């Protein structure tokens, strides 16, 4: 008896230890895989062009230089303009979108709202069936006349069925009796929503808000579709796309800084622009992560 | 006798309908922005699918362009495009779902075995980073690794004395590159849901199993994995509905719109539609593909929903 119980304990320990070792190795490797590309981008942005051409992209900056950043700073108007477009878009889009989504989500989960299923289906149906890109393109350009208008990158991303469903599921977890007792006290539906529900729904607001903010910060698709080159300032990610895919963007800013063509640090400037375009959203993330993980969990598991 | 009873019931019904409307006026108004929003951006474009059946002329508009019936579709079938696009889109999605789920579940389970709280938090945070960047940056990062001259992979190969690989002219490598990139971007995020499911498992179940002498492996095999199954099934069915929908940003930024050498293996419905519209100005062809995607996709979603209803009625979408 004693021997066998000892044996099982040993067995349990070995499989536990093996899995623990595997866990640490796998998680560490995957984490490194997620981290190293970012380090390479940052590091390359600080590496001299001649070194990159000879030895390729680097994990640690070699022949350290801030030349690429200096060149960007020498002709900063496009980058600053892009920042302004993206920041304004993110702020307005997130605030307005979040409010509208929360309002819809709250109404749609109210058990005493007789049209909740009809409207839910009306919203959900748009994920099942769509007109596709061509009619959408014609709508924005010919019907709404939003070509080259910043509204074309602001409006279409305000709401999405998925975010409304997420919000609705979260709001469901707030007991209906709170609404009911507020009603008895004479509060109207909108007042209840603004004064009682919104303050209680902080994790959901943080989650959906982060989704919206991410969407706006990373927006390039609508911008690429609807903003032609006649628009002076494009959002950051489209700016980055242009820098990466069209060499003349870098040449222009180098020319503005009187740098001869052969000395333009093409590769490090791409990376420096990427750092500039991405930085802020990753810096914000750790502050909302707690809410974010809680929010996707609540919203997603309950489907 | 019947009539008055009937009419009184009707008037009661219509009165209740009116009072229903009046009582929920505010809630209805609160939904109004969403109703208008989806009407404008989603419902108005739907009839536009009619473009698929005309030879679209910019000067005439959708409904005055000459009607050509199914000839756009015929062209797509004969040219082989429709088959290639369907095959690529569906196969990529299946790979994303299967490989993605395996990696996500693996991360969640292994993360759960890591006892050091701080290490777990830090790694989880870092694993979510790729989810936060735009596909433009993802494209640039992929280029960092795959670039023939300075790329990280070819750099390593050269250091070991091997021949560099020209990724951008070798279509057969791209299914692996695209799936790996997608997993890289999404796995950390996807594992959050599985990890949450594991942390929600009643600790008593696990404790009593351990007291009964279950090994860690047995705990994972016989307790955690079965409890993850419902989450997996639901996520699987959800993604089944989107199997004809591709991830445009991923493919476009990785492959670009000009590298036609790779298209055989990398072209999906979305990239084809985008190219037809923006590069070739072939509105009708682009619309025909979208039409096919919408109708066919609709049937798949309906089927997926029917399956959900059978397996887990609570999760049905409609």
């Amino acid at each position: 008896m004693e021997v066998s119980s000892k044996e099982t304990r040993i067995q349990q320990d070995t499989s536990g230890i093996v899995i623990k070792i595997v866990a640490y190795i796998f998680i560490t490797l995957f984490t490194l895989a997620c981290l190293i590309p970012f380090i390479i981008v940052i590091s390359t942005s600080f590496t001299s062009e001649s070194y990159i051409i000879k030895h390729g992209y680097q994990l640690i900056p070699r022949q350290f230089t801030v030349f690429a950043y200096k060149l960007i700073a020498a002709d900063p108007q496009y980058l600053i303009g892009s920042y302004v477009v993206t920041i304004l878009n993110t702020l307005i889009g997130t605030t307005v979108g979040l409010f509208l989504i929360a309002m819809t989500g709250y109404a749609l989960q109210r058990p005493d709202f007789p049209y909740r299923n009809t409207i839910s289906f009306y919203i959900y149906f748009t994920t099942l069936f769509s007109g596709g890109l061509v009619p959408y393109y014609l709508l924005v350009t010919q019907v709404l006349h939003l070509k080259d208008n910043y509204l074309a990158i602001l409006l279409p991303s305000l709401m999405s069925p998925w975010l409304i469903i997420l919000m609705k599921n979260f709001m469901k977890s707030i007991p209906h009796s709170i609404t009911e007792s507020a009603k008895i006290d004479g509060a109207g539906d909108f007042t209840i929503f603004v004064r009682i529900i919104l303050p209680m729904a902080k994790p959901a607001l943080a989650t959906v808000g982060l989704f919206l903010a991410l969407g706006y910060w990373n927006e390039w698709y609508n911008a690429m579709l609807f903003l032609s080159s006649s628009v002076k300032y494009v959002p950051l990610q489209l700016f980055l796309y242009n820098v990466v895919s069209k060499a003349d963007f870098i040449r222009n800013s180098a020319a503005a800084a009187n740098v001869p063509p052969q000395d333009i640090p093409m590769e490090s400037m791409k990376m420096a622009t990427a750092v500039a375009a991405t930085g802020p959203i990753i810096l914000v993330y750790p502050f909302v992560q707690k809410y974010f993980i809680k929010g996707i969990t609540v919203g997603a598991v309950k489907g | 006798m019947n009539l008055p009873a009937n009419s009184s019931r009707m008037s009661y019904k219509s009165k209740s309908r009116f009072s229903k409307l009046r009582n929920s006026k505010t809630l209805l108004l609160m939904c109004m922005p969403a109703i208008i929003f989806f009407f404008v951006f989603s419902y108005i474009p739907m009839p536009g699918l009619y473009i698929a059946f005309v030879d679209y002329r910019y000067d005439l508009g959708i409904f005055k362009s000459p009607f050509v019936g199914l000839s756009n579709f015929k062209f797509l079938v004969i040219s082989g495009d429709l088959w290639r696009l369907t095959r690529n889109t569906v196969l990529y999605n299946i790979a994303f779902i299967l490989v993605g789920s395996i990696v996500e579940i693996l991360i969640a389970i292994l993360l759960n075995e890591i006892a050091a709280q701080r290490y777990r938090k830090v790694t989880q945070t870092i694993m979510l980073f790729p989810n936060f960047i735009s596909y433009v940056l993802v494209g640039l990062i992929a280029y960092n690794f795959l670039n023939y001259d300075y790329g990280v992979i070819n750099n390593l190969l050269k250091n070991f004395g091997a021949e560099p690989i020209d990724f951008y002219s070798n279509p057969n490598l791209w299914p692996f590159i695209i799936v790996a990139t997608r997993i890289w971007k999404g796995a950390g995020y996807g594992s959050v849901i599985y990890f949450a499911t594991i942390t929600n498992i009643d600790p008593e179940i696990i404790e009593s199993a351990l007291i009964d002498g279950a090994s860690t492996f047995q705990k994972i095999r016989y307790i955690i994995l079965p409890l993850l199954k419902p989450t997996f099934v639901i996520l699987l069915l959800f993604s089944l509905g989107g199997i004809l929908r591709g991830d445009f940003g991923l493919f476009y930024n990785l492959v670009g719109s000009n590298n036609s050498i790779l298209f055989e293996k990398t072209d999906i419905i979305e990239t084809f539609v985008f190219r037809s519209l923006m590069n070739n100005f072939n509105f009708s062809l682009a619309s025909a593909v979208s039409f096919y995607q919408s109708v066919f996709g609709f049937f798949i979603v309906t089927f997926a929903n029917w399956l959900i209803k059978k397996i887990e009625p609570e999760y049905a979408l409609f």
Side-chain angles (χ1 to χ4, degrees):
Chain A
M1 267 308 277
E2 224 190 299
V3 174
S4 100
S5 95
K6 218 177 208 168
E7 247 174 30
T8 50
R9 213 169 59 222
I10 289 166
Q11 197 193 354
Q12 171 197 328
D13 285 346
T14 37
S15 103
I17 288 168
V18 169
I19 289 174
K20 246 189 195 104
I21 292 170
V22 171
Y24 274 98
I25 293 173
F26 182 84
I27 296 292
T28 306
L29 285 180
F30 194 80
T31 305
L32 286 178
C34 289
L35 193 61
I36 285 173
F38 291 93
I39 297 176
I40 290 177
V41 168
I42 296 171
S43 165
T44 307
S45 72
F46 287 111
T47 301
S48 80
E49 188 76 359
S50 58
Y51 196 89
I52 298 169
I53 288 173
K54 237 189 236 151
H55 303 284
Y57 300 122
Q58 294 301 315
L59 191 59
I60 303 155
R62 306 283 172 82
Q63 299 185 359
F64 186 88
T65 168
V66 289
F67 189 44
Y69 290 96
K70 261 191 192 150
L71 273 187
I72 292 178
D75 182 26
Q77 62 152 330
Y78 289 103
L79 185 66
I80 292 174
S82 289
Y83 254 100
V84 172
V85 170
T86 297
I87 288 175
L88 277 181
N89 227 353
T90 307
L91 284 180
I92 299 171
T94 307
T95 319
V96 177
L98 191 55
F99 185 74
L100 296 181
I101 288 171
M103 198 162 72
T104 315
Y106 173 67
L108 289 183
Q109 61 78 44
R110 276 274 296 263
D112 56 341
F113 181 40
Y115 309 103
R116 62 181 193 282
N117 288 331
T118 319
I119 298 173
S120 294
F121 183 78
Y122 170 86
I123 291 170
Y124 184 71
F125 184 74
T126 61
T127 66
L128 303 181
F129 198 83
S130 83
L133 181 61
V134 176
Y136 172 67
Y137 181 81
L138 292 176
L139 168 85
V140 175
T141 55
Q142 318 254 293
V143 181
L144 304 174
H145 298 289
L146 293 180
K147 180 127 182 104
D148 292 341
N149 188 323
Y150 289 126
L151 285 178
I153 53 176
L154 181 74
L155 293 179
S157 314
L158 273 182
M159 285 186 243
S160 78
W162 153 245
L163 289 181
I164 291 179
I165 292 170
L166 191 73
M167 184 63 83
K168 183 177 119 181
N169 281 333
F170 191 90
M171 296 278 193
K172 247 187 224 165
S173 64
I174 299 175
H176 182 54
S177 53
I178 292 175
T179 300
E180 273 173 335
S181 63
K183 262 198 146 162
I184 293 167
D185 290 345
D189 289 319
F190 190 72
T191 318
I192 295 172
F193 166 70
V194 174
R195 304 273 297 269
I196 298 170
I197 303 298
L198 275 188
M200 290 182 73
K202 267 187 204 139
L205 295 178
T207 310
V208 175
L210 187 62
F211 273 120
L212 281 169
L214 270 179
Y216 278 110
W217 193 273
N218 288 333
E219 155 62 38
W220 61 281
Y221 180 62
N222 283 313
M224 189 174 61
L225 280 175
F226 301 121
L227 301 185
S228 62
S229 50
S230 66
V231 176
K232 206 159 182 196
Y233 304 121
V234 296
L236 273 179
Q237 304 306 324
L238 186 61
F239 179 75
L240 174 63
Y241 180 83
N242 290 337
V243 166
V244 171
S245 62
K246 296 172 189 157
D248 11 318
F249 265 82
I250 295 179
R251 290 208 188 92
N252 287 344
S253 59
N258 290 320
V259 173
Q262 68 273 15
D263 292 344
I264 303 171
M266 298 293 277
E267 295 306 318
S268 46
M269 272 191 80
K270 284 182 195 170
M271 305 306 156
T273 313
V275 172
T278 309
I281 199 83
I282 288 210
L283 294 181
V284 169
Y285 163 65
F287 297 102
V288 275
Q289 188 207 15
K290 194 180 71 185
Y291 289 127
F292 182 60
I293 288 182
K294 200 171 160 191
I296 17 181
T297 311
V298 171
V301 174
K302 296 191 174 155
Chain B
M1 266 311 274
N2 248 342
L3 214 67
N6 220 348
S7 75
S8 91
R9 205 165 81 212
M10 263 174 70
S11 85
Y12 168 74
K13 214 174 174 182
S14 71
K15 208 161 106 197
S16 93
R17 192 172 290 163
F18 180 71
S19 72
K20 228 164 79 172
L21 194 66
R22 200 184 48 199
N23 287 338
S24 47
K25 196 180 64 194
T26 317
L27 291 176
L28 205 55
L29 275 176
M30 284 166 79
C31 291
M32 242 352 159
I35 293 174
I36 296 167
F37 177 87
F38 288 104
F39 183 74
V40 171
F41 286 104
S42 301
Y43 283 91
I44 292 181
M46 283 180 196
L49 280 175
Y50 177 69
I51 303 178
F53 302 95
V54 301
D55 180 14
Y56 183 72
R57 281 185 41 193
Y58 210 76
D59 52 330
L60 296 176
I62 300 175
F63 297 101
K64 285 186 182 137
S65 295
F67 182 79
V68 294
L70 294 175
S71 77
N72 290 319
F73 295 93
K74 230 186 233 160
F75 177 80
L76 284 168
V77 173
I78 291 169
S79 66
D81 285 337
L82 211 55
W83 161 242
R84 178 174 54 103
L85 295 173
T86 311
R87 182 197 65 198
N88 286 350
T89 312
V90 169
L91 286 183
Y92 272 114
N93 272 319
I94 290 176
F96 292 160
I97 295 168
L98 290 184
V99 184
S101 307
I102 291 171
V103 176
E104 284 161 16
I105 292 173
L106 198 65
I107 290 175
I109 289 177
L110 295 181
L111 211 53
N112 186 51
E113 291 302 318
I114 286 181
Q117 192 95 21
R118 184 172 271 170
Y119 190 73
R120 199 162 73 187
K121 276 226 166 99
V122 170
T123 49
Q124 210 181 9
T125 306
I126 294 172
M127 283 190 281
L128 279 162
F129 273 0
N131 187 56
F132 283 85
I133 57 172
S134 72
Y135 269 125
V136 180
L137 183 57
V138 174
L140 179 64
I141 286 175
Y143 185 75
N144 273 341
F145 277 79
L146 307 173
N147 180 345
Y148 187 78
D149 298 312
Y150 332 119
V152 174
I153 294 176
N154 280 334
N155 234 346
L156 286 173
L157 287 177
K158 276 186 243 167
N159 284 347
F160 287 112
E163 279 296 299
I165 303 168
D166 189 1
F167 291 98
Y168 287 91
S169 59
N170 193 340
N172 292 325
L173 295 171
W174 280 82
F176 300 100
I177 296 169
I178 287 173
V179 173
T181 311
R182 164 77 178 236
I183 304 298
W184 177 78
K185 193 172 187 333
Y189 173 76
S191 68
V192 169
I193 295 165
Y194 287 111
F195 184 68
T197 315
I198 295 177
T199 29
N200 279 339
I201 294 174
D202 185 357
E204 271 179 36
I205 301 176
I206 290 174
E207 258 166 48
S208 60
L210 291 180
I211 288 167
D212 286 346
S215 68
T216 313
F217 176 76
Q218 284 167 327
K219 177 189 80 181
I220 293 171
R221 170 73 185 78
Y222 295 107
I223 300 173
I224 295 182
L225 277 182
L227 285 172
L228 286 183
K229 211 177 99 189
T231 311
F232 169 73
V233 171
I234 294 311
L235 293 177
L236 177 78
L237 291 170
F238 276 129
S239 35
L240 201 63
I243 206 154
L244 240 86
R245 232 169 285 150
D247 195 338
F248 177 79
L250 174 69
F251 288 80
Y252 186 77
N253 282 296
L254 249 54
V255 178
S257 63
N258 302 317
N259 196 346
S260 53
I261 309 166
L262 304 182
F263 284 164
E264 177 62 26
K265 290 289 167 70
T266 61
D267 210 11
I268 55 165
I269 293 179
E270 272 78 5
T271 48
F272 180 88
V273 171
F274 182 84
R275 263 201 332 275
S276 309
L277 178 66
M278 303 305 279
N279 300 358
N280 314 328
F281 306 105
N282 199 329
F283 285 59
S284 298
L285 215 54
S287 238
V289 177
S290 289
F291 185 89
Y292 159 79
Q293 181 186 31
S294 258
V295 173
F296 195 24
F298 182 76
F299 283 115
I300 293 175
V301 177
T302 317
F303 173 72
N305 189 61
W306 174 81
L307 263 183
I308 299 181
K309 249 186 188 160
K310 285 221 129 170
I311 299 169
E312 199 94 40
E314 208 191 308
Y315 289 100
L317 300 169
F318 48 87

